Amino acid sequence: VRVWCDGCYDMVHFGHANSLRQAKAMGDYLIVGVHTDEEIAKHKGPPVFTQQERYKMVRAIKWVDEVVEGAPYVTTLETLDKYECDACVHGDDITMTADGVDTYHIVKAANRYKECKRTEGVSTTDLVGRMLLMTRQHQQTGASEYTVDGGHSSSLSTDASARSPWTGVSHFLPTTRKIIQFSSGLVPKPGDRIVYVAGAFDLFHVGHLDFLAAVRKKGDFLIVGLHTDPAVNRYKGANYPIMNLHERVLSVLACKYVSEVVIGAPYSVTDDLLDQLKVDLVCHGTTEISPDEDGNDPYEVPKRRAMFEIQDSGNTMTTDRIVERIIEHRLEFELRNNKKEKKEKLAFAAYMKAKEQGKLTIDPIKIE
């Protein structure tokens, strides 16, 4: 059974990964179509990442078998037939063209459309909003560092009453079940060379991806340690991390190069950590290493044990550069978010009306 998914996949996050995980569960082979920059700009607004960056990110999601570059914005039966796909899968939200037409109306009418559950609490629009607002309300600190919070930001009309179900600055509700769904469940085999890396891995991007691909080649089992929100904020400052610990865990777990994740890893790599995880090699990228709170080098122990290497990913992308892209085009992204908000409110009303009338699989939902 071959399954088709398509989308922008801009700033690929765990919400995208979760929809693809669910789609893969509906078949045996998952093909993902990714739209071009031109198509996205026409129908939605400027993408944050280039199409080449987005193609690369989607290919690295562990449930994806094949990527089709430059997929049409409106999904057609010709597309499904060309790639021998039985059905198209999409989340239970509404996607529309610039003209306000449901992008899946053709496959819905042909009964070749299936829905999966959309991941609440995250979207590209949401992440862009966090960067524009420079809010820190999504972070988990102090006594609530590992707790669940379902609140919303109250600034700039982003509270729940002012936003649709699919946009706004919100919190993801983490569960152990979700982590298990994303986990590969693998354990190191006897003789496996275990590599350990640690960091924030905030707004998981192509720079992270190329680094993980490079260090994965140095061993058989790659463990990623993720620092807590307070630790990241201490060495990054401002409103970092943009994504909280639980969100970052799922984003990293979705990467096909990653075998296991340490949630809330200590900032300094200790003897205990290396011994417990049976680590053979510790790597770090070419970015500057901030000292620990006591002023010590966090990699002092692996350096002393002659098991530390600096790995150049060959990619200059950083989380800071992504934020710079957003801030540089602030007005464009604010306009994009506002337009998306209005369209989705209208779409939701039309969707409910069509549902009541039993017309969902007959006529495309058109929003004037």
Side-chain angles (χ1 to χ4, degrees), residues 52-311:
Q52 292 303 326
E53 290 169 333
R54 292 183 289 106
Y55 298 153
K56 193 176 198 176
M57 289 295 289
V58 174
R59 281 194 178 95
I61 294 174
K62 62 187 179 185
W63 298 286
V64 175
D65 295 300
E66 184 180 335
V67 167
V68 173
E69 300 180 0
Y73 205 78
V74 174
T75 311
T76 65
L77 297 178
E78 287 76 15
T79 300
L80 296 191
D81 291 341
K82 180 180 178 180
Y83 295 98
E84 300 177 338
C85 291
D86 300 87
C88 167
V89 177
H90 189 259
D92 55 2
D93 53 333
I94 300 163
T95 307
M96 294 173 296
T97 66
D99 300 322
V101 174
D102 181 351
T103 58
Y104 295 103
H105 73 274
I106 297 171
V107 289
K108 284 178 179 178
N111 200 29
R112 290 175 69 179
Y113 175 84
K114 293 183 178 181
E115 276 189 355
C116 62
K117 184 70 178 169
R118 188 186 181 284
T119 306
E120 297 296 336
V122 68
S123 68
T124 300
T125 309
D126 174 24
L127 297 176
V128 169
R130 292 184 194 181
M131 285 178 265
L132 292 176
L133 296 172
M134 296 301 282
T135 177
R136 289 172 59 184
Q137 295 183 27
H138 58 280
Q139 294 176 14
Q140 296 160 316
T141 58
S144 64
E145 198 167 326
Y146 295 97
T147 60
V148 172
D149 186 354
H152 292 260
S153 171
S154 58
S155 58
L156 297 185
S157 299
T158 57
D159 58 290
S161 62
R163 305 294 278 195
S164 76
W166 302 301
T167 55
V169 178
S170 56
H171 293 262
F172 171 65
L173 302 182
T175 62
T176 51
R177 179 170 172 266
K178 186 62 66 189
I179 292 172
I180 289 168
Q181 287 173 337
F182 272 61
S183 174
S184 62
L186 298 173
V187 294
K189 298 188 294 295
D192 274 358
R193 181 171 166 83
I194 300 173
V195 181
Y196 178 79
V197 300
F201 291 91
D202 194 16
L203 295 176
F204 195 73
H205 54 70
V206 286
H208 295 136
L209 187 64
D210 285 343
F211 170 68
L212 293 176
V215 295
R216 179 66 175 79
K217 291 176 182 175
K218 291 182 173 291
D220 309 292
F221 196 89
L222 176 58
I223 302 175
V224 178
L226 288 170
H227 300 145
T228 64
D229 295 348
V232 176
N233 189 251
R234 180 184 63 78
Y235 63 80
K236 290 282 289 181
N239 68 323
Y240 291 104
I242 304 299
M243 300 178 82
N244 66 44
L245 176 61
H246 298 291
E247 295 172 323
R248 291 183 283 120
V249 166
L250 294 184
S251 295
V252 172
L253 274 176
C255 176
K256 66 182 181 183
Y257 304 119
V258 176
S259 309
E260 182 63 284
V261 165
V262 177
I263 303 171
Y267 186 66
S268 285
V269 181
T270 62
D271 282 303
D272 281 348
L273 183 144
L274 296 176
D275 294 338
Q276 273 192 43
L277 300 178
K278 297 181 173 59
V279 174
D280 297 292
L281 178 67
V282 177
C283 291
H284 191 275
T286 55
T287 54
E288 183 183 353
I289 300 173
S290 299
D292 206 339
E293 288 179 289
D294 57 8
N296 290 331
D297 179 357
Y299 292 96
E300 180 185 347
V301 171
K303 285 177 180 177
R304 172 170 48 80
R305 293 169 63 161
M307 52 191 297
F308 178 78
E309 285 184 18
I310 292 291
Q311 175 65 54

